[in-house]
Amino acid sequence: MIRIFRRRMILFMSLLVLCSGCQTDLRELDDRSLILGLAIDKGDVEEYSVGVQIPIFGGAGSSGGAELTREFEVKSEEGDSIQDALANIEAITPTVLFLGQLKVVTISEEVAKENLEPVLDQLSRDSAIASRVLLLVIKEVDAETFINTESPLVNLPSLYLDRFFDADQKIGRSRDTKLFEYLRDSTTVSRAATIPVGTLTEEGLMIEGMGVFKDHQLVGELAKSEVSVSQLLKNERLEFMNYSITLEEEGEEIKVALTRVEFTPKLSFQKTNPVQFELELRGSGDVVELSRPMVEAEIGFIKKIEEKMEEEIKAEVERTITKMQELNVEPWLLGQRIWVDDYEFYEELGWHDSGWQNAEFNVSVDFTVQVTGQKEIFQKKKVGR
Amino acid sequence: MEIKRQFRAFDLFAFMFCTTVTLGVLFLPYVSGEEIRSSWLKLLVVSIPFFLMLWLISLFTKRYPDYDFFKALKDHLWGWLYFVVIFYFIIGTILSAARVTNGLSEIVQVHLLKVTPEWMVLLPFFIIAGVGVYYGIIAITRFAVYFVVLEILVLLSVIVMAFFQDYFKWIFVAPVFSTDVVTFLKSSVSDMARYAAIVPTLAFLVYMRKGEAILAPMNLSLIMIVIIYSGLSLGVLGTFGFDHAMQLLSPITALTQSIETRTGLLERLDLLFIGFWIVSFYKLFIVHTWFMVYITKKAWPVVNQNLFIVIYLAVIYMLSLMTPEFIIDQWAFHNINLILYGFVMPTLLLIFLTLKKKRGTPKDDTNISS
């Protein structure tokens, strides 16, 4: 009796599993357009112009019939909200837009300056969009033009960006900002966050520098070398930086290129008004190239490289700080540090009014050259003939 | 009701772990409406009374050799009070089971099946759960034992990965104590409800083999739960910061989303995680329904067990369809009710029963086969 009941149960359950396949959410892969990149520009008539990058499966090549030249298509429409624009795009595509595989959201400079908040709201509310999508601000050209540009290296622009930030050795390049990182940073006490900046050059896609946001508005930009310094000010270790300096030796200019430059910061502050930050940087690097072949490198010359490096990094750090103080925006969690440590002191400083702008910095740099070449050793001194 | 005492210490560990950990994991740490930053600390502090409750349970098993909590209640409480207690246990379990299914449908509708109506999402779940309860405690415990290792492994790996990502920063965790003690304790009360699902363990004890360790597996299980809850809360806080973490519907889902995967197959690790976690919902829900049927049968031995499985499931099904989602305002009431049901009442009853029977006077434990 029980055995019969069990058999019936098993049959019933398998029917049930079949039933669950017919529910309303089921949609075949063929019916979906997988969107890998979104481009958000200011619309001509309506608020936003939204472009979507859809890969074409089967890809370029001659597989079966007509030869395809592109591996993706970009469609765009305008709308007063992102959702409206997406709905309008759905009207001009045969399939349903699917944002589950979205990798990159590119935002034009104009939108970043004027109307970013509703965009972020849409991105963070939609459960199909993963919180780790990459954000990118596009300057000089439209975001749509940017995601419509093919790179011979990686065919799909969205995948190019994804790979760019995934590459292990980010030699002095911009760091990625994921949606949740941006949202997190803009809810810290300084209400500031950064997003990498991309543009188009004759060579193709270029990602360099970081846009600085305060209260969801693009207020400034950190240039290439300032991005590296930014990392130090966040009290994070800096690795794999390339750096070039110029030295004077016996009236002659010698260019020195350093690689694998790394710095470890140590940040502290004193509770004075204005607040006094102490930033100690200890670092090292390798010499890879000299404009004058160094056969007999003297210790004195290496010392000079070290001193020049210390001087330049210090100036770079101070310049970056001044730049952000002029904009009255602080994207390095410095205010957060004070806020965590002593809330009353933070209040007393009036961080957003003048506390940050008046903050003083004492930067000290200690740099040593590790090696002067990798497979040849240049430090040795010849004795005799 | 014939009872075969066959379960070992590990079964008890698995059973207790599995009944407690499901819902909290998905929605922790910020679930009470009014939040303070250091919820991980709250979860540590509020677990202390539950360790006391576990000690009382072990004391109870020493005084009552048949481990039968509900029989002891029947023997020692006044008749009407016994039925009030049983009734309250049933109501409390129905409410928390409805909350579980409500949470399940919420998470499924947000992340997986956006268009499918709620009744359709829940119906197969209830039918399969009903079959699970029908097969009884042995099948349920086997399910828990198989699942517990996998569950712990998955949760610990998510937590460890969260701590070792670049995004995790201790500066977002600080300051540890950002309110006064009174506010902290007041806000902690609602978090006590996170551990309230220990109650079905009271019914499970009866199936424990004589001579097996009781306190150690229970303590170990609770320690594990506390580590997972607090570790998860810390990981979420350090990765997303307080202000952003507070807005997340399911922080652990967001956390699994932030974990880097290099392969396209695991592009959406979060959805994979939710899929896996639905199995955990089955286990929790089946245990709760089994518990209700068990105490009903205990109080009224003549009732038809299968009929009651259907009745309870139907009631919970209707209740969870009727309860709207995002009822944060009413959670405070639900949480207080859970504390009464899951901590205050069992603790008082355990104290009463252990005081009633002083050490060294065991009696009437003959009708249980061992």
Side-chain angles (χ1 to χ4, degrees):
Chain A
M1 184 64 194
I2 288 176
R3 195 169 286 173
I4 294 169
F5 179 76
R6 276 189 188 169
R7 268 191 213 148
R8 278 185 192 161
M9 266 309 172
I10 291 168
L11 184 71
F12 179 60
M13 303 272 265
S14 31
L15 283 177
L16 209 66
V17 173
L18 285 179
C19 283
S20 66
C22 323
Q23 38 74 17
T24 36
D25 275 288
L26 179 78
R27 200 155 275 139
E28 293 295 336
L29 199 56
D30 289 352
D31 300 332
R32 292 178 191 267
S33 298
L34 298 182
I35 298 173
L36 294 180
L38 262 188
I40 296 162
D41 291 293
K42 195 169 168 55
D44 294 328
V45 184
E46 293 182 77
E47 194 60 45
Y48 300 105
S49 165
V50 176
V52 295
Q53 187 187 78
I54 308 169
I56 301 167
F57 291 113
S62 56
S63 57
E67 200 162 295
L68 291 165
T69 47
R70 274 161 75 92
E71 288 194 5
F72 66 93
E73 196 57 59
V74 173
K75 296 269 181 204
S76 74
E77 278 292 325
E78 290 195 4
D80 273 334
S81 67
I82 307 294
Q83 196 56 44
D84 275 354
L86 287 175
N88 290 340
I89 296 173
E90 261 183 5
I92 56 164
T93 53
T95 49
V96 172
L97 302 184
F98 177 62
L99 293 161
Q101 299 280 327
L102 184 68
K103 289 190 180 300
V104 186
V105 178
T106 53
I107 301 155
S108 75
E109 204 176 353
E110 219 175 346
V111 173
K113 272 182 182 157
E114 289 166 14
N115 213 358
L116 184 64
E117 221 171 338
V119 176
L120 293 168
D121 189 71
Q122 152 76 15
L123 295 179
S124 55
R125 268 177 209 271
D126 194 334
S127 69
I129 298 173
S131 60
R132 64 157 198 270
V133 292
L134 299 167
L135 300 179
L136 197 69
V137 172
I138 308 300
K139 63 174 188 182
E140 285 156 20
V141 289
D142 286 345
E144 193 196 324
T145 319
F146 188 86
I147 65 160
N148 210 351
T149 309
E150 261 180 286
S151 162
L153 301 174
V154 180
N155 288 342
L156 262 64
S158 304
L159 294 181
Y160 176 95
L161 299 172
D162 192 47
R163 200 162 300 175
F164 178 90
F165 290 118
D166 254 359
D168 273 342
Q169 210 166 346
K170 300 162 188 164
I171 304 175
R173 297 195 292 202
S174 308
R175 300 191 68 203
D176 59 339
T177 300
K178 297 193 160 111
L179 176 63
F180 77 87
E181 276 182 280
Y182 175 86
L183 293 171
R184 174 193 70 194
D185 290 350
S186 43
T187 52
T188 57
V189 295
S190 57
R191 309 196 298 265
T194 52
I195 295 180
V197 177
T199 188
L200 275 184
T201 61
E202 282 177 10
E203 299 297 318
L205 310 176
M206 188 173 82
I207 300 156
E208 206 172 76
M210 301 282 269
V212 183
F213 287 75
K214 187 172 185 182
D215 295 327
H216 303 302
Q217 269 189 323
L218 179 67
V219 287
E221 201 187 324
L222 291 164
K224 187 179 164 187
S225 56
E226 292 164 348
V227 172
S228 310
V229 167
S230 251
Q231 211 171 324
L232 293 171
L233 281 158
K234 268 193 174 174
N235 211 14
E236 286 170 12
R237 200 174 138 79
L238 172 68
E239 286 171 308
F240 305 120
M241 182 175 72
N242 289 331
Y243 205 87
S244 298
I245 50 172
T246 311
L247 280 179
E248 284 260 328
E249 180 82 343
E250 294 157 7
E252 194 186 341
E253 273 197 352
I254 304 173
K255 288 203 175 99
V256 183
L258 292 133
T259 189
R260 281 202 290 275
V261 174
E262 51 181 36
F263 278 103
T264 310
K266 195 177 156 197
L267 188 75
S268 59
F269 64 88
Q270 285 169 9
K271 291 177 193 172
T272 50
N273 198 353
V275 61
Q276 174 88 37
F277 283 97
E278 305 281 339
L279 179 64
E280 277 177 49
L281 303 174
R282 282 173 166 278
S284 62
D286 305 345
V287 175
V288 281
E289 196 185 328
L290 284 173
S291 61
R292 188 192 70 177
M294 181 164 63
V295 182
E296 283 183 20
E298 291 167 12
I299 296 295
F301 186 68
I302 292 175
K303 270 263 163 304
K304 269 189 186 168
I305 297 177
E306 289 174 350
E307 275 164 21
K308 181 76 179 172
M309 222 15 220
E310 286 167 3
E311 195 183 301
E312 288 216 359
I313 292 293
K314 186 173 182 224
E316 189 87 58
V317 171
E318 285 170 346
R319 196 166 55 242
T320 311
I321 292 167
T322 315
K323 188 171 174 182
M324 288 299 117
Q325 279 180 327
E326 277 166 9
L327 292 168
N328 196 17
V329 49
E330 181 270 302
W332 302 309
L333 298 174
L334 296 172
Q336 185 87 7
R337 264 168 232 287
I338 304 173
W339 181 83
V340 163
D341 191 67
D342 189 341
Y343 180 66
E344 278 168 23
F345 176 57
Y346 171 83
E347 284 284 290
E348 186 191 316
L349 287 174
W351 194 248
H352 287 280
D353 301 328
S354 59
W356 162 237
Q357 282 184 308
N358 294 338
E360 286 165 5
F361 283 81
N362 192 5
V363 184
S364 59
V365 187
D366 180 15
F367 184 79
T368 45
V369 170
Q370 292 283 8
V371 285
T372 51
Q374 282 159 27
K375 59 179 194 227
E376 297 185 15
I377 307 163
F378 293 101
Q379 295 98 317
K380 294 182 183 173
K381 200 163 189 177
K382 202 161 75 177
V383 181
R385 202 150 59 114
Chain B
M1 196 159 44
E2 200 192 326
I3 283 165
K4 201 172 168 207
R5 302 180 64 166
Q6 57 173 329
F7 292 128
R8 292 175 174 276
F10 185 74
D11 300 321
L12 179 59
F13 167 82
F15 186 87
M16 202 178 121
F17 183 85
C18 286
T19 51
T20 311
V21 93
T22 302
L23 198 63
V25 164
L26 272 190
F27 294 105
L28 274 177
Y30 302 110
V31 277
S32 48
E34 279 175 16
E35 309 295 351
I36 63 163
R37 176 178 291 266
S38 300
S39 62
W40 58 273
L41 188 66
K42 277 201 302 196
L43 287 163
L44 274 180
V45 172
V46 298
S47 70
I48 296 167
F50 284 91
F51 281 105
L52 179 83
M53 186 172 135
L54 295 187
W55 176 75
L56 281 172
I57 292 178
S58 89
L59 200 65
F60 167 82
T61 57
K62 280 181 191 144
R63 304 266 165 102
Y64 292 80
D66 58 358
Y67 299 177
D68 198 336
F69 178 75
F70 292 96
K71 186 173 152 288
L73 278 186
K74 201 173 194 171
D75 292 346
H76 295 290
L77 278 184
W78 299 303
W80 65 272
L81 189 59
Y82 171 72
F83 285 105
V84 169
V85 166
I86 293 288
F87 196 65
Y88 185 58
F89 268 127
I90 293 173
I91 295 289
T93 316
I94 286 181
L95 287 179
S96 58
R99 173 77 197 98
V100 167
T101 46
N102 202 245
L104 169 80
S105 70
E106 187 175 331
I107 214 84
V108 168
Q109 286 194 307
V110 168
H111 287 281
L112 301 173
L113 307 173
K114 293 188 182 90
V115 193
T116 311
E118 194 181 357
W119 70 266
M120 209 195 259
V121 171
L122 288 180
L123 191 62
F125 178 83
F126 272 75
I127 294 174
I128 294 170
V131 176
V133 181
Y134 167 79
Y135 277 111
I137 189 67
I138 298 174
I140 295 171
T141 312
R142 258 185 226 154
F143 179 27
V145 167
Y146 281 129
F147 201 67
V148 74
V149 180
L150 194 63
E151 204 168 44
I152 291 176
L153 267 179
V154 168
L155 289 176
L156 287 185
S157 6
V158 170
I159 293 169
V160 168
M161 277 199 262
F163 276 98
F164 283 96
Q165 286 201 106
D166 285 349
Y167 313 117
F168 182 88
K169 291 193 177 82
W170 286 105
I171 191 169
F172 295 125
V173 174
V176 171
F177 222 83
S178 54
T179 55
D180 56 295
V181 180
V182 178
T183 318
F184 178 82
L185 290 178
K186 250 168 95 179
S187 131
S188 301
V189 171
S190 63
D191 271 286
M192 270 181 87
R194 291 322 121 222
Y195 301 105
I198 292 174
V199 166
T201 310
L202 290 172
F204 185 79
L205 288 173
V206 123
Y207 295 92
M208 285 298 291
R209 215 181 258 208
K210 191 119 186 63
E212 282 288 312
I214 298 284
L215 187 59
M218 285 196 301
N219 272 342
L220 201 65
S221 180
L222 190 56
I223 289 172
M224 206 67 209
I225 295 163
V226 172
I227 290 175
I228 285 172
Y229 277 2
S230 287
L232 185 66
S233 307
L234 258 182
V236 164
L237 185 59
T239 309
F240 298 107
F242 179 45
D243 295 69
H244 185 43
M246 216 166 59
Q247 298 160 357
L248 298 167
L249 169 69
S250 168
I252 193 169
T253 314
L255 202 62
T256 45
Q257 252 179 40
S258 74
I259 292 168
E260 294 274 352
T261 49
R262 295 268 167 118
T263 57
L265 183 68
L266 298 178
E267 178 75 27
R268 293 302 298 269
L269 204 61
D270 52 326
L271 301 184
L272 205 68
F273 175 78
I274 291 175
F276 167 76
W277 209 245
I278 287 172
V279 182
S280 179
F281 270 99
Y282 271 114
K283 166 209 74 182
L284 177 70
F285 186 70
I286 289 173
V287 167
H288 274 75
T289 318
W290 168 83
F291 174 67
M292 282 189 293
V293 174
Y294 171 88
I295 53 176
T296 313
K297 190 88 181 149
K298 202 85 193 168
W300 298 277
V302 288
V303 297
N304 181 341
Q305 188 172 316
N306 295 343
L307 179 71
F308 267 81
I309 296 178
V310 176
I311 291 175
Y312 284 139
L313 288 178
V315 170
I316 301 169
Y317 184 65
M318 294 315 290
L319 206 61
S320 47
L321 286 188
M322 281 177 343
T323 324
E325 283 160 24
F326 306 106
I327 44 157
I328 289 174
D329 291 346
Q330 288 147 41
W331 280 6
F333 166 73
H334 175 70
N335 284 339
I336 288 173
N337 183 47
L338 262 187
I339 295 163
L340 273 179
Y341 149 83
F343 177 70
V344 179
M345 197 168 80
T347 309
L348 289 178
L349 291 174
L350 282 165
I351 293 174
F352 169 74
L353 289 177
T354 39
L355 287 179
K356 197 85 185 168
K357 201 167 186 182
K358 292 278 183 291
R359 193 190 296 271
T361 55
K363 55 170 190 174
D364 61 31
D365 53 316
T366 45
N367 55 348
I368 300 287
S369 62
S370 51

